[in-house]
Amino acid sequence: MSLCGDDHPKLIARINRIEGQVRGLKKMVKDDRDCLQVLKQIAAAGGALRSLGSVILEDHLKGCVATAIQNKDHEAELITEVVDIFNKFSR
Amino acid sequence: MSLCGDDHPKLIARINRIEGQVRGLKKMVKDDRDCLQVLKQIAAAGGALRSLGSVILEDHLKGCVATAIQNKDHEAELITEVVDIFNKFSR
Amino acid sequence: MSLCGDDHPKLIARINRIEGQVRGLKKMVKDDRDCLQVLKQIAAAGGALRSLGSVILEDHLKGCVATAIQNKDHEAELITEVVDIFNKFSR
Amino acid sequence: MSLCGDDHPKLIARINRIEGQVRGLKKMVKDDRDCLQVLKQIAAAGGALRSLGSVILEDHLKGCVATAIQNKDHEAELITEVVDIFNKFSR
């Protein structure tokens, strides 16, 4: 299988922003910034990761999963994997 | 639309357990139990709610969403709603 | 130890509302309401539980933990327990 | 205020690992790896961020907050900020 959805540049741009947030986090620690600012930056990067996950999940459901259901090709297995991912993100 | 999946008694049994956890929580507060015990009980009830959500989501994907995709009937709208739910649970 | 904070009626009122949400959830399943409505109700009850947890955590930090730190009485142990709770809620 | 806790190299090492996970994520997208592998990597990076947050929170409670409580110096304000962070991470 490959990555569903075809706008990879959009995903790469999002990941670059997250990489920038993580580098910013490292600079905040090196600069000895106060804990609460660092914790807010960690929460912001975590939120950006969740948004990226939700974009990829939507592409996955509209792409791979929809195709599998139309072709009755391992669709139950794919749906179980989507629920596993939901559980990974929701706990 | 109606609730996907046909094992409603299984869902009712889960909800009854969660209701029992919430009543237990109320008793803990009335009994002036210590904060950490109360917070652990809150976390346990929250975990049980998430598990219930994941069972219903799996029924939904295997039932309503799969049918919508096969019939090409508002499937994009249904998938968007699934992603909204994912976002509600993951943040 | 006992429950920090002295406004137990406020907490009981919150827990009663959560109990009402869980009973509403059971009725939605019995009435065969659609999955997305049920999932939204589950997310709402989960959110109300988290808010309750955050009220109790604040009372705990301002009450029990502050007293322990002032008296240097097992404060490290109490703080470790607070972090355990943070981990329970954040994952 | 500055960053509580004095083991900054430990934190920098954790952040470097997270930065590596995010770069790995970018490579997975460029390599067109399948959605579920990408989503699992996103969840792993999110988990590493939460663990980093919990280490910094523990240092903060044992350091800055404990000092503020002992000195009765804006301790209520600091505790409110800790609860805000708890809410950011738990929802």
Side-chain angles (χ1 to χ4, degrees):
Chain A
M1 275 177 65
S2 70
L3 191 60
C4 307
D6 47 14
D7 193 354
H8 291 196
K10 177 191 67 182
L11 300 179
I12 297 292
R14 276 177 173 275
I15 298 171
N16 282 334
R17 280 194 294 276
I18 295 166
E19 196 180 343
Q21 286 173 301
V22 174
R23 272 197 299 267
L25 190 57
K26 185 159 53 177
K27 186 174 185 322
M28 291 173 80
V29 171
K30 286 180 174 168
D31 294 350
D32 197 32
R33 297 280 298 282
D34 87 74
C35 301
L36 290 158
Q37 294 310 311
V38 172
L39 286 165
K40 280 172 189 163
Q41 175 81 353
I42 291 171
L49 274 169
R50 278 192 302 271
S51 304
L52 173 68
S54 113
V55 169
I56 292 174
L57 180 71
E58 183 158 13
D59 290 342
H60 184 56
L61 289 167
K62 290 184 172 167
C64 316
V65 176
T67 306
I69 288 170
Q70 276 153 6
N71 306 342
K72 300 204 173 306
D73 174 19
H74 302 96
E75 73 273 23
E77 180 188 334
L78 273 178
I79 287 171
T80 304
E81 289 174 330
V82 168
V83 175
D84 290 344
I85 288 296
F86 173 83
N87 293 337
K88 273 201 173 32
F89 277 84
S90 72
R91 46 182 39 251
Chain B
M1 274 178 66
S2 69
L3 190 60
C4 307
D6 48 14
D7 194 354
H8 291 197
K10 177 192 68 181
L11 299 179
I12 297 293
R14 276 176 173 275
I15 298 170
N16 282 333
R17 281 195 294 278
I18 294 166
E19 197 180 341
Q21 287 174 300
V22 174
R23 273 198 299 267
L25 191 56
K26 185 160 50 179
K27 187 175 186 320
M28 290 171 83
V29 171
K30 287 180 173 167
D31 294 351
D32 197 31
R33 298 280 298 281
D34 88 73
C35 301
L36 291 158
Q37 294 308 313
V38 173
L39 287 165
K40 281 174 190 163
Q41 175 81 353
I42 292 172
L49 275 169
R50 278 192 302 269
S51 304
L52 173 68
S54 115
V55 170
I56 292 175
L57 179 72
E58 183 158 12
D59 289 344
H60 184 55
L61 289 167
K62 290 184 174 169
C64 315
V65 176
T67 307
I69 289 170
Q70 276 154 7
N71 305 343
K72 301 204 172 306
D73 174 19
H74 302 95
E75 73 273 23
E77 180 188 334
L78 274 179
I79 286 172
T80 304
E81 290 175 330
V82 168
V83 175
D84 291 343
I85 289 296
F86 173 83
N87 292 337
K88 274 200 171 33
F89 277 83
S90 71
R91 43 181 44 250
Chain C
M1 274 177 67
S2 71
L3 190 61
C4 308
D6 48 14
D7 193 354
H8 291 198
K10 177 191 67 180
L11 299 179
I12 296 293
R14 276 175 172 275
I15 298 171
N16 283 333
R17 281 194 295 276
I18 295 167
E19 197 180 342
Q21 286 173 299
V22 174
R23 273 197 300 266
L25 191 58
K26 184 159 53 179
K27 187 176 184 320
M28 290 171 83
V29 171
K30 288 180 171 165
D31 295 350
D32 197 31
R33 296 280 298 282
D34 87 73
C35 301
L36 291 158
Q37 294 308 313
V38 173
L39 287 165
K40 281 174 189 163
Q41 176 81 352
I42 292 172
L49 274 169
R50 280 192 300 272
S51 305
L52 173 68
S54 114
V55 170
I56 292 176
L57 180 71
E58 183 158 11
D59 289 342
H60 184 54
L61 289 168
K62 288 183 174 169
C64 314
V65 176
T67 307
I69 289 170
Q70 276 154 4
N71 305 343
K72 301 202 172 306
D73 174 19
H74 302 96
E75 73 274 21
E77 181 189 333
L78 273 179
I79 286 171
T80 304
E81 290 175 330
V82 167
V83 175
D84 291 343
I85 289 296
F86 173 83
N87 293 336
K88 274 201 172 32
F89 278 83
S90 71
R91 49 177 49 245
Chain D
M1 274 178 65
S2 69
L3 189 61
C4 308
D6 48 13
D7 194 354
H8 291 197
K10 177 191 67 182
L11 300 179
I12 297 293
R14 277 176 172 276
I15 298 171
N16 283 333
R17 280 193 295 276
I18 295 166
E19 197 180 343
Q21 287 174 301
V22 174
R23 272 197 301 265
L25 190 57
K26 185 160 50 177
K27 186 175 186 321
M28 291 172 82
V29 171
K30 287 179 173 168
D31 295 350
D32 197 31
R33 296 280 299 281
D34 87 75
C35 302
L36 291 158
Q37 293 310 311
V38 173
L39 287 165
K40 281 175 189 162
Q41 176 80 353
I42 292 171
L49 274 168
R50 279 193 300 273
S51 304
L52 174 67
S54 113
V55 169
I56 292 174
L57 179 71
E58 183 158 12
D59 289 343
H60 183 55
L61 288 167
K62 290 185 172 167
C64 315
V65 177
T67 306
I69 289 171
Q70 275 153 5
N71 304 345
K72 301 204 172 306
D73 174 18
H74 302 97
E75 73 275 21
E77 180 188 335
L78 273 179
I79 286 171
T80 305
E81 290 174 330
V82 168
V83 175
D84 290 344
I85 288 296
F86 172 83
N87 293 337
K88 274 201 173 31
F89 277 85
S90 71
R91 51 179 44 243

